[in-house]
Amino acid sequence: MKYIRTVEIYEQVINCEEIDELKEILDKYSPYYSRWRDYINEIMIKNGLSYGKLGAICGFSKNTIKSWGTANKVPKSREAFFRFGMGLRCNIGEMNYILQRYGKYPKLYAKSLEDAIAIYEITHYPEDESVNAYDEFQKKKEIFIKYVNQKNKRHFLHNSQNATLDMEKVITELDDDEQFIQFIKENEVEFMNSYYKLLDYISAFVKAENMDGSYHSLVKGKELNKGFEKMLSNLRNKGEVPNRDKLIWLGIVLNMSMSEINKMLEYANMEKLCAKDKIECVYMFILANLDVSNPYYQIDHAVLVSKYTENPQIKEQCNNLLEELVGLKNSGEVREDVEYYVKETLKSLEFDEDDEIVKLFLKNNLQKGE
């Protein structure tokens, strides 16, 4: 199969103007969309493994691995990807690849305590290959997580003293558990406030989208499932990041532009919208066309959002301006939300309604606990 650069697909998607053109592009590049099934089968062939043997190595049943390799069933949690990757003793780059591309989760983030422990385990695998690395990771979590009491201590950390990559480098070079414990204690504030830049960014858009400024009023005003509110609450209180599909859905509900969604994904330690993901192609098509058809939508108000969240004196000014640019709630110029365009496009393209991300848009189906 000829290799196709992601940017080639991206340029064709954002430059097409009609649904029929988009359909042709999706059909043309369907062999290039990343599939978990293909990845699993490639791993098995490369290493001479059966479903049963791969399952034994990674701590999953034979039937689970078979469902991955035949039905393209994808693990349901970030933790399951940790179990899989550590079973194969993936390095950091490999782990980040499967987390982002197939799990649609954030890559390993050294300022998140759980991820810092994962980075430590991955770069300090037991020499004895019969030892289950994921089990060791779980044991370390039980020991190390107690050194940071996050409850009721999270607050916005304006000036982090540590670059994320510097923290990751230090972790990989530690000699033993005692040094790692000391590292955790010295960086307690960083770990308590992981992903706060993401939370601050999302909160700014929530305020721009509803006068109350609370998650609850947004959920009520847009008639969203209550799982949406829980998702945001978990991010605020626990630093727990939603998976990529739900985060993108959140951006569309908040009427973000393409550049703003990409910025949000960057804060979540995720790749920007990817042209090699079939449904994300649809998002890019819609958002690119909205940029053209709605003049005010071309204004990148992410800068304004960050200003008014960091400078209290101009919060009200920016909030009013964002109401005008994004919501237009009190004028006769009300347009349909971005979510409307996504729903209508997915319907016209006849996507499988059993696909989880399609359910989010077509059925507003963010269930409690998902």
Side-chain angles (χ1 to χ4, degrees):
M1 184 186 297
K2 178 186 174 184
Y3 176 74
I4 299 293
R5 293 187 306 148
T6 305
V7 69
E8 292 180 41
I9 306 176
Y10 167 78
E11 288 172 354
Q12 292 181 48
V13 169
I14 65 169
N15 287 314
C16 69
E17 298 178 358
E18 304 292 339
I19 289 290
D20 287 343
E21 288 182 65
L22 180 61
K23 286 180 179 179
E24 290 179 8
I25 292 170
L26 295 178
D27 290 341
K28 178 180 178 181
Y29 293 113
S30 59
Y32 298 95
Y33 298 125
S34 299
R35 294 183 180 88
W36 177 242
R37 176 184 62 205
D38 298 336
Y39 178 76
I40 290 299
N41 287 315
E42 183 181 332
I43 289 289
M44 292 172 59
I45 292 170
K46 183 179 178 180
N47 295 282
L49 299 172
S50 64
Y51 294 129
K53 287 182 179 178
L54 180 58
I57 290 171
C58 299
F60 294 95
S61 70
K62 175 182 175 180
N63 286 339
T64 295
I65 301 295
K66 188 174 182 180
S67 72
W68 294 353
T70 59
N72 200 41
K73 297 291 185 182
V74 179
K76 295 294 186 181
S77 68
R78 194 167 184 257
E79 197 74 12
F81 282 98
F82 279 164
R83 179 190 293 273
F84 173 79
M86 290 179 183
L88 289 173
R89 299 211 168 194
C90 290
N91 60 34
I92 291 175
E94 292 165 340
M95 183 68 81
N96 284 337
Y97 177 78
I98 62 173
L99 283 172
Q100 291 182 290
R101 180 55 54 85
Y102 301 108
K104 298 190 176 184
Y105 289 105
K107 66 181 180 180
L108 292 167
Y109 182 43
K111 292 184 180 180
S112 160
L113 181 54
E114 181 177 19
D115 283 12
I117 298 169
I119 291 168
Y120 179 73
E121 178 61 32
I122 289 169
T123 55
H124 297 77
Y125 283 133
E127 291 184 9
D128 184 351
E129 293 193 2
S130 67
V131 175
N132 187 301
Y134 178 76
D135 288 345
E136 293 299 304
F137 165 63
Q138 291 295 94
K139 292 174 185 176
K140 286 181 173 65
K141 277 208 299 184
E142 290 180 13
I143 297 170
F144 298 149
I145 212 135
K146 67 182 179 183
Y147 291 102
V148 175
N149 180 14
Q150 298 189 31
K151 188 175 182 181
N152 299 324
K153 288 187 177 182
R154 286 173 60 78
H155 58 85
F156 182 61
L157 185 64
H158 283 277
N159 297 305
S160 170
Q161 299 301 309
N162 301 301
T164 305
L165 288 177
D166 290 343
M167 288 184 69
E168 182 176 302
K169 186 173 185 294
V170 171
I171 293 170
T172 64
E173 294 176 352
L174 294 172
D175 292 330
D176 52 41
D177 290 3
E178 288 186 9
Q179 285 189 6
F180 186 50
I181 290 171
Q182 186 60 35
F183 175 82
I184 291 173
K185 291 177 178 178
E186 290 172 355
N187 292 278
E188 181 183 26
V189 175
E190 295 278 11
F191 293 129
M192 286 192 300
N193 294 285
S194 61
Y195 291 112
Y196 240 85
K197 189 177 289 186
L198 171 64
L199 177 63
D200 184 61
Y201 189 75
I202 291 172
S203 296
F205 280 91
V206 170
K207 291 173 185 176
E209 281 295 304
N210 69 113
M211 295 301 293
D212 186 298
S214 70
Y215 300 142
H216 178 72
S217 64
L218 179 72
V219 169
K220 185 176 180 180
K222 287 184 174 285
E223 299 182 346
L224 303 175
N225 189 287
K226 289 185 179 179
F228 181 95
E229 188 173 357
K230 181 178 180 180
M231 181 177 82
L232 293 172
S233 177
N234 286 345
L235 174 61
R236 180 183 60 207
N237 297 322
K238 303 177 183 178
E240 184 178 303
V241 180
N243 79 1
R244 182 181 179 88
D245 286 342
K246 290 172 184 173
L247 201 57
I248 294 172
W249 178 70
L250 169 59
I252 288 173
V253 167
L254 293 173
N255 288 313
M256 291 185 185
S257 67
M258 190 187 310
S259 62
E260 290 159 353
I261 287 177
N262 283 335
K263 177 58 69 174
M264 178 177 64
L265 292 173
E266 177 189 326
Y267 288 150
N269 250 6
M270 297 179 185
E271 298 172 323
K272 65 183 181 180
L273 290 170
C274 179
K276 286 189 176 178
D277 183 289
K278 196 169 186 178
I279 294 183
E280 290 185 23
C281 279
V282 176
Y283 305 152
M284 290 189 290
F285 164 77
I286 293 166
L287 294 172
N289 277 277
L290 283 174
D291 283 346
V292 173
S293 61
N294 295 273
Y296 72 84
Y297 210 76
Q298 297 179 43
I299 299 174
D300 186 358
H301 52 263
V303 176
L304 297 173
V305 171
S306 65
K307 281 184 178 179
Y308 98 74
T309 56
E310 292 175 9
N311 187 338
Q313 295 179 350
I314 60 172
K315 273 188 176 183
E316 185 175 356
Q317 296 174 30
C318 289
N319 189 48
N320 291 338
L321 182 55
L322 286 168
E323 281 279 333
E324 179 183 342
L325 291 174
V326 185
L328 298 176
K329 304 298 183 188
N330 301 314
S331 76
E333 301 175 46
V334 177
R335 67 176 181 85
E336 300 286 1
D337 289 341
V338 177
E339 188 178 4
Y340 167 82
Y341 292 108
V342 174
K343 286 179 178 178
E344 292 305 302
T345 305
L346 289 174
K347 286 178 183 177
S348 67
L349 290 170
E350 298 180 345
F351 269 89
D352 183 357
E353 292 193 17
D354 287 331
D355 189 297
E356 289 301 314
I357 187 62
V358 176
K359 285 180 182 179
L360 290 178
F361 288 105
L362 298 188
K363 303 178 182 178
N364 188 20
N365 193 33
L366 186 57
Q367 298 295 339
K368 182 177 180 181
E370 284 191 357

